[in-house]
């Protein structure tokens, strides 16, 4: 739930701020471990749970539920493609994952962070707008807390991609991806449940 905020705090407290000192091997290994775990989680959510829920809803006869599922699935596909492209770009410029300026140059200075915020917000709005009950909306807000912090950040000091090692930025991106899939899975589960009534 707060994994992105924790990762961000880890980035801030773990690295030199002079832009020249690469991350230590120990810290890089920790990021690689966290990133690997998030990547596995994202793969499982996408290939199994999320896709199966989507297919089950589409099998139903109710076009309203199918339309809702389509909105969510399209938003998820959109954010996944965007994040995967960002990660590919970061890796292209720093395959070692240790540079502290690559994420800032590739994401912040190109305004990709603004696009990312918009795409994250699209997933959030697609999910939360389809859930009528307050307890459902609260659950989405809790699951998406760290991503909402990033979306609502007004200044560069709250940006997770400034003075972050490349592997740290990739880990944050995977965390955002995971948050999106979690709220989409929750929302599709609720839609499927509603469709069976």
């Amino acid at each position: 739930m707060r994994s992105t905020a924790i990762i961000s705090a880890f980035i801030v407290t773990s690295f030199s701020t002079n832009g020249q000192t690469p991350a230590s091997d120990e810290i890089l290994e920790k990021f690689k471990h966290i990133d690997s775990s998030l990547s596995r989680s994202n793969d499982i959510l996408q290939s199994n749970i999320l896709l199966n829920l989507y297919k089950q809803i589409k099998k139903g006869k109710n076009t309203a539920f199918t339309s809702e599922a389509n909105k969510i699935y399209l938003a998820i596909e959109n954010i996944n493609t965007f994040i995967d492209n960002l990660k590919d770009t970061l890796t292209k410029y720093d395959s070692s994952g240790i540079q502290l300026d690559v994420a800032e140059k590739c994401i912040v200075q190109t305004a990709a962070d603004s696009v990312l915020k918009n795409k994250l917000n699209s997933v959030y709005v697609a999910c939360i707008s389809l859930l009528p009950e307050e307890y459902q909306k609260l659950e989405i807000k809790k699951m998406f807390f760290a991503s909402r912090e990033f979306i609502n950040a007004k200044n560069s000091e709250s940006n997770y991609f400034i003075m972050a090692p490349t592997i740290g930025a990739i880990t944050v991106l995977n965390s955002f991806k995971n948050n999106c899939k979690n709220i989409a899975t929750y929302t599709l589960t609720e839609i499927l449940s509603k469709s069976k009534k």
Side-chain angles (χ1 to χ4, degrees), residues 35 39 42 75-91 107 112 115-117 119-120 123 144 147 150 161 169-181:
D35 187 58
S39 292
N42 282 328
I76 288 295
E77 287 296 307
N78 196 352
I79 191 79
N80 286 345
T81 301
F82 185 74
I83 287 175
D84 288 342
N85 288 337
L86 281 177
K87 291 181 345 186
D88 289 346
T89 300
L90 292 171
T91 303
I107 298 174
V115 176
L116 178 61
K117 287 178 182 187
K119 290 183 182 298
L120 287 168
V123 172
F144 213 65
S147 295
F150 173 71
F161 304 108
I170 290 170
T171 303
V172 169
L173 289 170
N174 277 331
S175 180
F176 287 157
K177 197 173 179 181
N178 189 276
N179 292 345
C180 289
K181 289 178 181 179

Side-chain angles (χ1 to χ4, degrees), residues 31 33 70 127 137 179:
F31 269 120
H33 177 73
N70 284 338
C127 290
K137 292 178 188 299
N179 292 345

